[in-house]
Amino acid sequence: MTASEALCQIRRGYQARWRDLAFFVEGGAHQWTLRVDRVPDHQPLYRGERSGVRAARVAAVEFGIFRELGPDSALIPAQLANELNWQEYW
């Protein structure tokens, strides 16, 4: 990567909180990176990549539901991901 290419990259992402978890979804050149941290100590719990922002949000929430409520939870990851207040950042 050249210096001019590095200057053209703009960091764009979204963050949301649910229970004691913080979800981060950040766009890259070809993938969206997701991260789930434990609040308040910001300990990283999970990291992954998905091809789109919606898929990354759902994957982050799915991990959070499984961690907090277990595999028998009736919560639907896509529905909860849609209901969260995702804050955009640059």
Side-chain angles (χ1 to χ4, degrees):
M1 177 183 305
T2 67
S4 61
E5 288 173 329
L7 291 175
C8 291
Q9 288 184 342
I10 297 174
R11 184 174 162 188
R12 178 181 179 203
Y14 301 91
Q15 62 184 7
R17 287 186 59 176
W18 178 71
R19 293 190 168 215
D20 289 334
L21 300 176
F23 304 121
F24 301 92
V25 173
E26 192 168 293
H30 304 289
Q31 297 280 340
W32 285 83
T33 300
L34 62 108
R35 191 178 84 237
V36 180
D37 290 356
R38 186 175 63 201
V39 178
D41 62 0
H42 300 289
Q43 177 186 355
L45 301 173
Y46 179 68
R47 185 179 181 94
E49 291 185 347
R50 297 295 185 273
S51 60
V53 65
R54 186 178 187 313
R57 287 179 179 180
V58 171
V61 170
E62 183 174 35
F63 174 85
I65 290 172
F66 187 83
R67 178 178 168 78
E68 294 291 305
L69 304 176
D72 297 328
S73 172
L75 280 178
I76 300 169
Q79 184 177 354
L80 179 58
N82 216 25
E83 294 172 0
L84 290 176
N85 182 20
W86 292 91
Q87 301 292 315
E88 185 173 22
Y89 62 86
W90 293 85

